[in-house]
Amino acid sequence: MILPIYLYGQPVLRRPTEDVEPGELDVKQLVSDMYETLQAAEGCGLAAPQVGLSKRLFVVDGSELVEDYPECADFKQAFINPELIEESEETSVYSEGCLSLPGISENVTRPKTITIRYLDEDFKEHTDTFTDFKARIVLHEYDHLEAHVFTDRISPIRRQFCKGKLTNIAKGKTGARYKYKR
Ligand code: NI
């Protein structure tokens, strides 16, 4: 089932998230719905707050990016109750967008390499290290669990520049072609 994506201005994007407890919700159904939603919106990552849930869960799917980032071809997985355990001092800069902030893309500086501990949808624990584009997707989604959006991480001047666009999104003036809620 395709879920509506909550846009900038929705309070849930600024709310702290809670761990997913085993059995508390149908995680497999939720993950499957989030993959479907992500695919329909042609995105590469989606976090639970973006579908209205204050839970520590996100999914990634790199299949949209294969042409530019072949290493993302099979990068499709769920991260439940993730915990960042290491971030490199080395950083990279890349222009990011977000399904909750349609029409905005800005350069964001992030660590180049990260190590993250998380559960998969069978609640099995993993610790993985990701670099470059994979690390960036994971960090962007992880930010959503910490009640951040990527424009929190841009320079004050660029944020000022985006202010009008953000206000318009919150008012529902958006060209988003996917199902959304504002
Ligand atoms: Ni996002």
Side-chain angles (χ1 to χ4, degrees):
M1 185 175 64
I2 294 174
L3 307 167
I5 295 175
Y6 285 57
L7 296 189
Y8 184 85
Q10 281 284 324
V12 68
L13 295 176
R14 295 304 198 180
R15 224 173 264 153
T17 53
E18 288 176 355
D19 273 349
V20 179
E21 305 296 340
E24 159 197 34
L25 45 86
D26 189 343
V27 167
K28 288 200 172 169
Q29 185 61 51
L30 176 62
V31 165
S32 153
D33 287 347
M34 286 173 73
Y35 281 142
E36 201 182 333
T37 303
L38 190 53
Q39 200 179 13
E42 298 179 356
C44 54
L46 189 67
Q50 295 181 276
V51 293
L53 288 170
S54 296
K55 290 289 169 190
R56 296 189 67 78
L57 182 157
F58 63 81
V59 302
V60 300
D61 181 355
S63 55
E64 283 292 326
L65 307 160
V66 174
E67 265 182 43
D68 294 326
Y69 304 94
E71 73 273 20
C72 290
D74 54 359
F75 189 44
K76 182 174 180 178
Q77 60 184 96
F79 295 78
I80 298 166
N81 302 345
E83 202 184 328
L84 269 178
I85 51 180
E86 218 176 311
E87 296 173 86
S88 65
E89 275 179 34
E90 191 184 354
T91 56
S92 67
V93 182
Y94 187 83
S95 175
E96 290 187 20
C98 178
L99 293 172
S100 293
L101 282 67
I104 298 180
S105 55
E106 288 290 327
N107 282 340
V108 181
T109 304
R110 295 195 188 270
K112 190 176 163 64
T113 302
I114 55 149
T115 299
I116 189 167
R117 183 162 55 217
Y118 62 96
L119 307 174
D120 63 21
E121 61 233 83
D122 295 312
F123 284 87
K124 194 173 157 231
E125 191 179 298
H126 301 263
T127 301
D128 285 328
T129 297
F130 297 106
T131 191
D132 294 320
F133 210 74
K134 288 184 184 179
R136 179 165 295 271
I137 299 173
V138 166
L139 286 170
H140 176 115
E141 300 313 322
Y142 192 89
D143 262 359
H144 280 298
L145 306 187
E146 304 291 308
H148 289 304
V149 295
F150 78 93
T151 48
D152 300 347
R153 296 197 177 273
I154 64 179
S155 69
I157 290 170
R158 293 305 302 171
R159 208 176 307 129
Q160 189 62 30
F161 179 80
C162 291
K163 215 175 159 186
K165 283 187 188 174
L166 288 169
T167 306
N168 280 341
I169 294 169
K171 285 181 183 163
K173 291 181 197 159
T174 158
R177 282 172 297 158
Y178 40 83
K179 193 157 106 180
Y180 60 81
K181 187 174 167 68
R182 57 130 191 131

Coordinates of all heavy atoms in Angstrom, one line a residue, residues 50 97-100 140-141 144, ligand 1:
Q50 N 8.3 10.2 8.2 CA 7.8 10.7 6.9 C 6.5 10.1 6.5 O 5.9 10.5 5.5 CB 8.9 10.5 5.8 CG 10.1 11.4 6.0 CD 11.1 11.2 4.9 OE1 11.8 10.2 4.9 NE2 11.1 12.0 3.9
G97 N 18.3 16.1 -1.6 CA 16.9 16.4 -1.6 C 16.1 15.6 -0.6 O 16.8 14.7 0.0
C98 N 14.8 15.8 -0.5 CA 14.1 15.0 0.5 C 12.6 14.9 0.0 O 12.1 16.0 -0.4 CB 14.2 15.6 1.9 SG 13.2 14.8 3.1
L99 N 12.0 13.8 0.1 CA 10.6 13.7 -0.3 C 9.7 14.5 0.5 O 8.6 14.9 0.1 CB 10.2 12.2 -0.3 CG 10.9 11.3 -1.3 CD1 10.5 9.8 -1.0 CD2 10.5 11.7 -2.7
S100 N 10.1 14.9 1.7 CA 9.3 15.8 2.6 C 9.5 17.2 2.3 O 8.8 18.1 2.8 CB 9.6 15.5 4.1 OG 9.1 14.2 4.4
H140 N 21.2 10.7 6.1 CA 20.0 11.6 5.8 C 18.8 11.0 6.5 O 18.0 11.7 7.2 CB 19.8 11.7 4.3 CG 18.6 12.5 3.9 ND1 18.6 13.7 3.3 CD2 17.3 12.2 4.1 CE1 17.4 14.1 3.1 NE2 16.5 13.3 3.6
E141 N 18.6 9.7 6.4 CA 17.4 9.0 7.0 C 17.5 9.0 8.5 O 16.6 9.2 9.2 CB 17.2 7.6 6.4 CG 17.0 7.5 4.9 CD 16.0 8.5 4.4 OE1 15.0 8.8 5.1 OE2 16.2 9.1 3.3
H144 N 16.3 12.0 10.1 CA 14.8 12.1 10.3 C 14.4 11.5 11.6 O 13.5 12.0 12.3 CB 14.1 11.3 9.2 CG 14.0 12.1 7.9 ND1 13.3 13.3 7.8 CD2 14.5 11.9 6.6 CE1 13.4 13.7 6.5 NE2 14.1 12.9 5.8
Ligands
NI1 NI 14.5 13.0 3.8

